[in-house]
Amino acid sequence: MGQPESKPARFPQPGDHIYCRRKGGLYDHHGIYVGDDMVIHLQGAAKKLGALPACHKCGDKRVENGEIAKVCIDCFLDGETLQIYDYGVPLPEFMNRKRGTCCLRHSKPPHEVISAATGFLERNGFGSYDMFANNCEDFAVYCKTGSAVSYQIVGHIERVSAAGPAGILAGAAVAAAYGISKAITGAKRHN
Ligand SMILES: [Zn+2]
């Protein structure tokens, strides 16, 4: 949309929130890099990525099932380019960046981020995957900051709203649904 793409990726450090494009850029997939070439992520809902044999490195079966999983970085990226999500971005920069690439809030220290992601993995405790209320970006942002907001979704709502009066209504309906289910899933979360 005329906005600059993310900065070229540096090598991820344990505790970094990483993401890559999926489905030719239709959406991005997010996870927490925990070191040793491994990523903890919230997988999408019941979508087969391909009839491939399980990964020999991490055992990932390339099936998205709405669960929190630990996979190797190759399975996470699935051939796409690694990007690193930025935290503590100043407001003017945030406004100019593509939604779903950075966050105004600051990250917790890396060891706290990793222990949050690991805790969710052990309990499989982030609720079921929901494109609007509980998605992979929410999971990663939640691990990084202790609360969740999906800027990728906010970006979609902004684009819908830019489509005119009908778009504004649709956007408001999406935002309302998002807010309501957010409150419900938020209440169920324990950290
Ligand atoms: Zn793998």
Side-chain angles (χ1 to χ4, degrees), residues 85-167:
Y85 201 98
D86 293 315
Y87 282 81
V89 171
L91 184 61
E93 183 184 337
F94 177 79
M95 296 306 287
N96 281 320
R97 296 267 301 266
K98 188 177 172 230
R99 295 291 173 270
T101 64
C102 59
C103 181
L104 293 165
R105 279 176 281 148
H106 289 271
S107 172
K108 296 197 279 189
H111 69 274
E112 286 185 28
V113 175
I114 294 166
S115 93
T118 307
F120 284 125
L121 177 70
E122 285 167 355
R123 298 192 301 276
N124 199 18
F126 202 69
S128 56
Y129 183 97
D130 181 305
M131 184 62 176
F132 286 104
N134 213 4
N135 67 26
C136 54
E137 183 187 359
D138 272 337
F139 171 74
V141 170
Y142 194 90
C143 291
K144 289 289 277 186
T145 67
S147 62
V149 62
S150 171
Y151 291 117
Q152 190 169 205
I153 299 300
V154 172
H156 281 304
I157 293 168
E158 285 174 353
R159 275 196 295 282
V160 170
S161 303

Side-chain angles (χ1 to χ4, degrees), residues 38 54-60 62 70-76:
M38 299 299 281
C55 172
H56 69 278
K57 193 170 169 188
C58 70
D60 184 47
R62 274 95 156 183
K70 189 174 181 178
V71 300
C72 74
I73 198 159
D74 294 336
C75 286
F76 176 83

